[in-house]
Amino acid sequence: MKKTVTLVLLAVSFFGFAQEETIDQKVNALLKKMTIEEKIGQLNQYTGDNSATGPITINSNKQAEIKAGLVGSMLNIIGTKYTRQYQELAMQSRLKIPLLFGQDVIHGYKTTFPIPLAEAASWDLGAIELAARVAATEASASGVHWTFAPMVDIGRDPRWGRVMEGAGEDTYLGSKIAYARVKGFQGTKLGDLNSVMACVKHFAAYGAAVGGRDYNSVDMSERMLWETYLPPFKAALDAGAATFMNSFNDLNGIPATGNAHLQRDILKGKWNFQGFVVSDWGSIGEMVAHGYSKDLKAAALSAITAGSDMDMESNAYRYNLAELVKENKISVDLIDDAVKRILRKKFELGLFDDPYRYSDAKREGKELNNPENKKAALEVAKKSIVLLKNDNQTLPLSKNLKTIAFIGPLVKEYKANMGFWAVDLPEVNYDKWIVSQWDGLQNKVGKNTKLLYAKGCEVDGDNKDGFAEAVEKAKQADVVILSIGERHNMSGEAKSRSDIHLPGVQEDLVKAIMATGKPVVVLVNAGRPLVFNWTADNAPAILYTWWLGTEAGNAIADVLFGNYNPSGKLPMTFPREIGQIPIYYNHFSTGRPAANENATNYVSAYIDLKNSPKYPFGYGLSYTKFNYTDLKLSAVKMKNTETIKVSFQLSNVGKVMGEEVVQLYLQDKFGSVVRPVLELKDFLKVKLNAGESKTIEFTIDKEKLSFYNNKLEWNAEPGDFELMIGTSSADIKLKSGFELVD
């Protein structure tokens, strides 16, 4: 008899749930025990009182509210010590429902990886997934259950500061990256100790904010929404994303937070999303400022009705939902649905089995000091660098150089290399943890090479007092490396810029150094595409280094000296001037297309600017050269149920090993609606030794030919298609045609 009792006790969790019950059964049982106030508490999220990305709620009663079961989640609580302390407060509540801890783990935790736009430049889905996997392992070891990433907004306007947080302008590439990041964050399954919940944001169309201005309005057709902006969200959902975050913008006049079409009809309806939706910081309350809701109570009514489950930092639900139920303005069923979605994730994470399972200080110390994480960061950083120019084979640099001058305002920066959206851990000495560009160069050169340094100028401002010293150092050197760009906090949330030229007098510094006649290599550090025409036209070698994270200096040095052959390709189009914005490669055909980049007479063009961008989508050079030959199609006609096999030979005809991102584009020549001039439909990153050739194969199927017609039907229409394979959207090496037939 005693043995039977013992077995029964073992089959019951810490919270009294039988282990053989399903999660839904446990959720329903718990829900029956909850008061309306406790239910609403699960929908309420507060920040800690330190780090924040919005106006902090000043509430001296936070701890008391947690004890009373009136808080379901916290964000910006860093480290196992503090997550354990807050969880202990939750365990004093009547029902002991554990807290969820969220954090903006955007591109790394302690080990910082390149900013997401830089990672996208790698076009390496395995590397991108690895970066998210390391971030999840470190974050989960520090007590974090949930990251507010990935951001999957399509970004076509580089003035928008948040382009640094996404994957660029292309729907196909963005969808592949969204899938990879979700898989990286969530791992094999939720509940594994090295897994964190992904939160896909911002739902939806935030990347199309008017004028590239953060928090601004978005106005677009349903077809544009479905064809361009929604697919990365659907890809993330298909990858198993646990949560979604709605966006600050209104979409066609309806704030996303209160947009039932987005959240009820599409996400939870058509897509059958079973996770939960969290508001962005205070976005429920901001519907009052939008002029959509007359007060916080009306905002709460709109948000919960539209399908926003958790209120981040606006207190709209906390103080209004119960009253709305009493007034019969909403059904308690709406609240129950939201609560069940949140409780389900807490069960899946195993928090009801052990509320402290992610707050293990020993594991935290081990994972945050795992040397393999820095190795991963170095590999991803190298893959993210884009070689924009290399006249006369200026790069790679010789290791026998006697003197190198390293000049510029960003040479000796440490913490700045983390870029925007980096997690700031108070116990980390970043001057020792991060490899600066100066340190990376010192680590690389031999004892016989002398390094000279001059700052030259600040990132912004008009002070040129440092020019003279910089010029003097340049004159003493065999080669000059110039590190310029924008400050790390010039891009990111609330960092929209009307002028994306190189700030300050930095381009004047480039001119002064170029006047010495010395070979010059320019490093551009930025979170977005910048305009730097004089430098682009005159400097012999340019590397776009973005913000590369913990191992920035070592990664840049490896590329400078040829230990790594750069393979990055631009995930966004770089404009010649601000007046070209928004600019993107896959624009629609027009009735008066320009015949070439110089055509201006009664065609779609500017009369004072070339029609082409400065650097096109998909562009990036290598230290070697690749040839594309022998294109073959298995057929020139196909039915909806058939496929066409595409093959060609890719050859490395240079002297060093390299990786090429082979890009396949299609154009639907004639459609029931106007189609883009070309669209990325597949890509492959291929590594070839010097002299090596490989047969590359792609498959064309109905899905690659489909689009949304004016009835929002997803289908492929019979007709002619042009197939293009190239090294960028503007450098097509092989072309052919085929026909889709009934």
Side-chain angles (χ1 to χ4, degrees):
M1 183 68 178
K2 289 182 179 179
K3 184 176 181 181
T4 303
V5 172
T6 301
L7 290 174
V8 171
L9 289 173
L10 287 174
V12 178
S13 74
F14 178 78
F15 290 86
F17 300 108
Q19 296 297 321
E20 66 272 11
E21 289 182 321
T22 67
I23 286 179
D24 281 344
Q25 287 173 328
K26 294 174 183 178
V27 167
N28 289 330
L30 180 56
L31 192 70
K32 291 177 181 178
K33 300 177 183 178
M34 299 174 71
T35 65
I36 186 67
E37 289 79 13
E38 288 168 331
K39 290 177 181 179
I40 294 168
Q42 288 302 299
L43 314 186
N44 183 31
Q45 183 182 60
Y46 286 146
T47 184
D49 294 328
N50 297 316
S51 176
T53 56
I56 294 175
T57 301
I58 304 301
N59 183 350
S60 59
N61 294 321
K62 283 180 185 177
Q63 294 190 7
E65 290 184 16
I66 294 171
K67 290 180 183 179
L70 303 180
V71 181
S73 176
M74 297 288 292
L75 72 157
N76 295 323
I77 307 297
I78 299 289
T80 57
K81 175 182 177 182
Y82 298 105
T83 56
R84 179 174 285 272
Q85 288 177 1
Y86 275 95
Q87 200 68 283
E88 286 172 349
L89 295 174
M91 291 305 101
Q92 296 176 48
S93 65
R94 184 178 75 90
L95 294 175
K96 297 178 173 56
I97 300 175
L99 292 169
L100 277 176
F101 295 109
Q103 184 67 36
D104 286 301
V105 184
I106 306 300
H107 55 109
Y109 188 71
K110 180 185 178 184
T111 305
T112 308
F113 286 79
I115 60 170
L117 187 61
E119 287 185 359
S122 75
W123 292 56
D124 190 318
L125 300 177
I128 292 168
E129 182 174 341
L130 173 64
R133 185 90 293 276
V134 171
T137 300
E138 291 187 352
S140 61
S142 293
V144 174
H145 309 135
W146 181 21
T147 174
F148 302 121
M151 191 197 91
V152 303
D153 298 308
I154 296 300
R156 292 174 163 181
D157 191 331
R159 294 172 299 180
W160 189 45
R162 299 195 81 160
V163 296
M164 60 75 56
E165 197 179 343
E169 72 185 49
D170 184 69
T171 301
Y172 183 84
L173 177 63
S175 297
K176 293 294 185 182
I177 291 174
Y179 190 97
R181 285 190 169 135
V182 170
K183 286 295 185 183
F185 284 130
Q186 297 192 170
T188 304
K189 71 178 192 312
L190 292 184
D192 286 348
L193 280 177
N194 61 358
S195 170
V196 295
M197 294 196 303
C199 185
V200 189
K201 62 185 188 184
H202 306 85
F203 199 65
Y206 193 20
V210 174
R213 201 167 74 243
D214 227 343
Y215 316 119
N216 208 5
S217 297
V218 173
D219 195 275
M220 67 171 58
S221 69
E222 277 284 296
R223 189 165 70 87
M224 178 68 75
L225 176 69
W226 279 93
E227 191 163 289
T228 302
Y229 289 88
L230 287 184
F233 290 97
K234 182 58 164 61
L237 188 150
D238 291 342
T243 69
F244 271 57
M245 178 186 290
N246 50 46
S247 52
F248 288 117
N249 60 282
D250 69 87
L251 177 62
N252 301 333
I254 309 296
T257 308
N259 196 312
H261 176 54
L262 287 175
Q263 296 171 101
R264 293 286 184 200
D265 297 344
I266 297 174
L267 182 60
K268 294 179 177 179
K270 186 178 181 67
W271 291 354
N272 194 32
F273 175 60
Q274 296 299 305
F276 69 87
V277 179
V278 62
S279 78
D280 209 334
W281 188 293
S283 67
I284 295 179
E286 288 175 15
M287 287 195 288
V288 177
H290 271 285
Y292 185 74
S293 303
K294 70 176 182 178
D295 53 28
L296 204 58
K297 183 177 179 181
L301 173 61
S302 294
I304 194 70
T305 303
S308 188
D309 301 307
M310 183 179 285
D311 176 6
M312 182 192 291
E313 274 293 297
S314 78
N315 270 312
Y317 287 178
R318 167 87 170 82
Y319 295 114
N320 294 287
L321 285 187
E323 188 175 352
L324 288 167
V325 171
K326 289 178 184 177
E327 295 172 350
N328 292 319
K329 292 184 177 178
I330 61 170
S331 167
V332 72
D333 291 343
L334 279 180
I335 295 174
D336 285 353
D337 176 66
V339 174
K340 286 196 285 187
R341 289 171 179 271
I342 293 164
L343 291 178
R344 191 177 295 119
K345 295 307 172 188
K346 292 184 177 184
F347 275 106
E348 289 176 9
L349 288 170
L351 294 175
F352 283 98
D353 296 323
D354 179 2
Y356 309 109
R357 65 195 303 260
Y358 295 91
S359 298
D360 182 341
K362 184 176 180 181
R363 185 169 82 93
E364 180 180 32
K366 177 185 176 183
E367 295 296 348
L368 295 193
N369 294 286
N370 184 347
E372 295 302 312
N373 295 350
K374 270 200 157 188
K375 291 179 183 178
L378 175 60
E379 287 305 306
V380 178
K382 290 188 293 189
K383 291 173 180 287
S384 301
I385 295 171
V386 182
L387 178 62
L388 295 182
K389 190 176 182 182
N390 194 24
D391 287 354
N392 302 317
Q393 294 183 314
T394 303
L395 291 173
L397 299 177
S398 168
K399 295 174 183 176
N400 297 320
L401 290 167
K402 297 298 183 184
T403 307
I404 300 173
F406 206 174
I407 295 170
L410 299 169
V411 172
K412 291 194 174 183
E413 287 282 355
Y414 282 93
K415 205 168 181 179
N417 288 291
M418 295 167 68
F420 200 84
W421 281 124
V423 179
D424 193 352
L425 301 179
E427 70 275 12
V428 178
N429 183 343
Y430 286 100
D431 286 0
K432 292 184 177 180
W433 178 247
I434 294 172
V435 182
S436 72
Q437 295 174 21
W438 178 258
D439 290 342
L441 202 65
Q442 283 189 315
N443 294 340
K444 183 62 60 178
V445 300
K447 295 180 180 179
N448 296 325
T449 301
K450 183 179 181 181
L451 296 183
L452 305 176
Y453 166 72
K455 189 171 187 178
C457 64
E458 300 295 337
V459 169
D460 48 10
D462 57 6
N463 191 321
K464 298 183 180 181
D465 291 349
F467 278 27
E469 180 192 9
V471 168
E472 185 58 32
K473 294 290 177 64
K475 288 179 179 178
Q476 300 174 40
D478 299 314
V479 67
V480 181
I481 304 171
L482 269 170
S483 183
I484 58 175
E486 58 179 7
R487 289 195 312 272
H488 73 285
N489 57 1
M490 282 182 167
S491 58
E493 184 178 351
K495 307 301 179 188
S496 297
R497 291 178 57 197
S498 66
D499 184 352
I500 59 169
H501 284 85
L502 272 174
V505 295
Q506 292 181 91
E507 200 145 39
D508 289 336
L509 177 63
V510 177
K511 293 176 182 178
I513 299 303
M514 285 291 297
T516 65
K518 298 290 185 176
V520 174
V521 178
V522 177
L523 312 177
V524 183
N525 309 266
R528 53 156 62 85
L530 295 177
V531 176
F532 47 98
N533 288 319
W534 195 93
T535 300
D537 292 340
N538 293 279
I542 304 171
L543 289 168
Y544 216 79
T545 54
W546 314 97
W547 292 111
L548 294 173
T550 302
E551 288 290 308
N554 286 334
I556 291 170
D558 276 348
V559 170
L560 284 171
F561 287 93
N563 296 94
Y564 181 81
N565 185 353
S567 61
K569 302 279 188 176
L570 296 178
M572 286 189 74
T573 302
F574 278 45
R576 292 180 181 276
E577 289 294 348
I578 298 164
Q580 281 185 305
I581 298 170
I583 183 170
Y584 45 95
Y585 84 95
N586 53 345
H587 57 84
F588 288 142
S589 302
T590 74
R592 293 192 178 186
N596 55 63
E597 66 176 14
N598 296 310
T600 60
N601 193 31
Y602 292 102
V603 294
S604 181
Y606 297 104
I607 62 172
D608 58 347
L609 193 67
K610 289 183 177 181
N611 300 317
S612 60
K614 195 65 181 180
Y615 297 108
F617 172 82
Y619 174 83
L621 303 177
S622 171
Y623 293 156
T624 191
K625 183 180 179 182
F626 298 96
N627 277 0
Y628 292 65
T629 58
D630 199 22
L631 176 63
K632 295 178 181 177
L633 275 63
S634 62
V636 293
K637 292 186 178 183
M638 65 172 277
K639 297 179 181 179
N640 276 334
T641 56
E642 298 174 337
T643 62
I644 291 177
K645 300 294 182 183
V646 179
S647 67
F648 67 96
Q649 285 292 111
L650 182 70
S651 303
N652 181 347
V653 295
K655 297 180 179 179
V656 295
M657 183 273 288
E659 294 174 281
E660 172 72 327
V661 179
V662 175
Q663 301 159 45
L664 183 148
Y665 296 90
L666 293 175
Q667 183 190 22
D668 191 339
K669 302 293 286 185
F670 306 97
S672 60
V673 294
V674 175
R675 304 303 304 137
V677 292
L678 75 169
E679 298 175 276
L680 181 72
K681 290 296 183 178
D682 214 335
F683 65 89
L684 190 64
K685 194 162 190 175
V686 184
K687 180 183 291 187
L688 293 176
N689 292 318
E692 184 181 5
S693 296
K694 279 186 180 178
T695 299
I696 309 301
E697 295 182 344
F698 293 110
T699 300
I700 305 297
D701 58 12
K702 178 187 175 183
E703 186 69 14
K704 285 185 169 64
L705 308 181
S706 296
F707 61 91
Y708 286 97
N709 63 23
N710 58 1
K711 296 180 181 179
L712 288 185
E713 297 167 334
W714 177 255
N715 207 351
E717 296 179 351
D720 295 329
F721 291 82
E722 184 170 30
L723 179 145
M724 295 157 275
I725 294 174
T727 187
S728 82
S729 60
D731 188 8
I732 301 302
K733 303 295 187 181
L734 301 169
K735 287 185 179 182
S736 187
F738 63 92
E739 183 183 2
L740 180 66
V741 297
D742 287 326

